Amino acid sequence: MGGGNESLPGTFVLLGFSDHPGLEMPLFGAVLVSYIFTLVGNGSIILLSLVDPRLQTPMYFFLDNLSVLDLCVTCTVVPQLLANLWGPEKTIAAWGCVVQAYLFHWTGCTECALLAVMAFDRYVAVCQPLHYSLIMRPRVCVQLAAAAWCSGLANSLLQATLTLQLPRCGHRRLDHFFCEVPVLIKLACGDTSTSDLSLVVGAIPFVLAAPLMVLVSYTLIARAVLRLPSAAGRLKALSTCSSHLAVVLLYFGPAIYMYLQPPASSTQAKFMSFLYCLITPLLNPLIYTLRNKDVKAAWKRVLQPLGR
């Protein structure tokens, strides 16, 4: 491959937010604080489910997987972003860029699939409560989670590999704050129609089919809830779904906009990426914790011995 150095330079330049130098230090502080809270929030959910037997249910098993994904996304993107915001050097090594491209695409696709699986779990819990333990038995939960992770990995291997093989003719300046597949495609100097088409087709199961499955699940849930005779029963059923529905809206909105309707400007692309790289992983544990009585009770049981 004679164009090896041409296709993949030794380093890439991440322009990030360098066009607004006055914002870099305040942004560094905000990103650092959100990074710490993201690590603590998602890590605490995983820890709670491990130490409290009452949280070892299918719902919290999938929530643990979601927290692991959020930690992977954050740890893949944010350390490099902090380094670039702190100092004048805005570069990333080629191997680091490759790792970011593969890991971010993998975790992003997996999260889409996992949110659809979690919607199915909520459908079974509300619409088939008597058969819930039979349908969502541990082996099935593991298989569903494994399918989400494996489908995301397969799509990542395909899309990132096709993208990294494109010739770049010495171009190495990325107008972004991390190495994302759509941005790397724009850096190519040859025909990118195959990669563009592959990216759109590969995104269909994750940003169209997965949200459609969520929509169908919640339509069936809404029909079942409206048939419940008591207002208390309807409220309880809806409360089990509200947190997941909020996370779905927060995640799929920017993802669909980014991959099926590419933003017209790099500023829009950075803003959308900022949402699902930093804001969503930060808010997910807050959404599930603040509105979840089981998690609050688990925290009390864990912290109570420390207060004595």
Side-chain angles (χ1 to χ4, degrees), residues 113-128:
L114 185 66
L115 288 173
V117 169
M118 293 174 75
F120 173 72
D121 172 68
R122 293 299 84 205
Y123 158 75
V124 177
V126 175
C127 300
Q128 303 288 334

Side-chain angles (χ1 to χ4, degrees), residues 43 55 57 64 85 97 105 120 133-134 136 151 162 184 186 221 231 234 258 260 295 300:
L55 296 186
T57 63
D64 284 347
L85 288 172
C97 191
H105 207 83
F120 173 72
S133 58
L134 179 63
M136 302 303 295
S151 62
L162 286 176
L184 286 170
K186 292 180 181 178
I221 288 172
R234 290 193 293 269
M258 186 70 183
L260 295 185
V295 175
K300 290 180 181 179

Side-chain angles (χ1 to χ4, degrees), residues 238-239 242-243 246 286-293 296:
L238 289 175
S239 67
S242 58
S243 297
L286 291 176
I287 291 171
Y288 276 103
T289 301
L290 295 176
R291 296 185 57 84
N292 195 300
K293 294 180 180 179
K296 292 179 182 178

Side-chain angles (χ1 to χ4, degrees), residues 46-68:
I46 297 172
L47 179 63
L48 274 179
S49 64
L50 290 175
V51 301
D52 195 318
R54 301 182 194 185
L55 296 186
Q56 293 172 3
T57 63
M59 175 181 171
Y60 294 103
F61 170 74
F62 294 127
L63 182 56
D64 284 347
N65 278 265
L66 183 63
S67 293
V68 170

Side-chain angles (χ1 to χ4, degrees), residues 89-102:
E89 192 71 23
K90 309 295 182 186
T91 60
I92 180 173
W95 67 266
C97 191
V98 170
V99 169
Q100 278 193 343
Y102 276 105

Side-chain angles (χ1 to χ4, degrees), residues 215-265:
L215 180 62
V216 170
S217 297
Y218 276 101
T219 300
L220 296 174
I221 288 172
R223 289 177 58 188
V225 168
L226 291 175
R227 291 174 183 169
L228 293 176
S230 68
R234 290 193 293 269
L235 185 61
K236 182 179 179 181
L238 289 175
S239 67
T240 64
C241 305
S242 58
S243 297
H244 177 254
L245 190 56
V247 170
V248 166
L249 295 175
L250 191 63
Y251 187 81
F252 277 121
I256 291 173
Y257 184 81
M258 186 70 183
Y259 281 87
L260 295 185
Q261 180 75 36
S265 69

